[in-house]
Amino acid sequence: MTTYTLTELFDKRAELAGEILQAEKRARELRADLAHVEATIRILRPGIELPKVVPKRVEYRPRHFKRGELTRLCLDYIREHANAPITVADILPLAIGDRTLTARDQEIFRVTVHQALHKIAKRGTIERIGPVGRVVRWTLAPQTSTKS
């Protein structure tokens, strides 16, 4: 092993240890908040037996778009460019807008746009055109008429 590799591993170890300390601190704060809420409930309803805490799923992913906004944005762009195959890279600047993002956040946006296009394709509105190299292209699906 080189000194460089060891240095990187020490840095990664320190980073992970710091994240663990922050998570433990956050857990202590949450337990204290829970105790305060329970105490308030007991003040308002003396003698009440509190049920066991049932965890509620919390979404940790930041919402950059309102519900359905990214889907509409993608569909509008694909409809405007109906005669040409579309890539994620074509829609990405429109999705990012005027946000200032790090390289990691840009990659997250790229994946988010790709997932949105995949979900639209599952509904049959658009279709995936085989990858050209590593780039996947999308186009409007041909409309099937159901006349009897």
Side-chain angles (χ1 to χ4, degrees):
M1 284 190 139
T2 65
T3 305
Y4 178 76
T5 305
L6 284 174
T7 302
E8 290 295 316
L9 289 172
F10 285 137
D11 289 345
K12 186 62 175 179
R13 180 184 181 277
E15 179 184 332
L16 292 172
E19 286 184 29
I20 289 170
L21 288 175
Q22 288 175 345
E24 288 172 348
K25 180 180 178 186
R26 177 75 176 134
R28 282 192 302 271
E29 291 171 354
L30 290 172
R31 283 188 193 98
D33 290 346
L34 180 62
H36 290 296
V37 169
E38 289 176 350
T40 305
I41 292 171
R42 286 188 184 104
I43 289 171
L44 296 173
R45 297 282 176 151
I48 191 169
E49 180 139 350
L50 293 174
K52 196 173 191 179
V53 176
V54 179
K56 180 180 177 182
R57 185 168 186 222
V58 179
E59 188 170 324
Y60 295 107
R61 179 176 59 89
R63 285 238 178 237
H64 298 289
F65 302 97
K66 293 179 183 174
R67 185 173 297 275
E69 181 181 6
L70 182 59
T71 302
R72 279 190 300 277
L73 183 118
C74 292
L75 282 173
D76 289 346
Y77 187 86
I78 290 173
R79 287 179 183 132
E80 288 172 11
H81 301 85
N83 56 352
I86 304 301
T87 63
V88 171
D90 296 333
I91 298 174
L92 197 56
L94 191 60
I96 291 174
D98 59 351
R99 297 177 178 97
T100 305
L101 301 176
T102 64
R104 184 173 188 271
D105 289 338
Q106 287 180 359
E107 177 62 18
I108 290 170
F109 262 70
R110 188 190 66 73
V111 170
T112 303
V113 169
H114 179 77
Q115 289 172 342
L117 290 170
H118 184 70
K119 286 179 183 177
I120 296 168
K122 284 174 80 173
R123 285 191 271 154
T125 309
I126 64 174
E127 63 184 19
R128 179 180 174 157
I129 300 173
V132 179
R134 292 187 54 167
V135 178
V136 176
R137 298 181 189 284
W138 307 85
T139 187
L140 280 174
Q143 297 299 323
T144 57
S145 66
T146 57
K147 292 183 180 178
S148 302

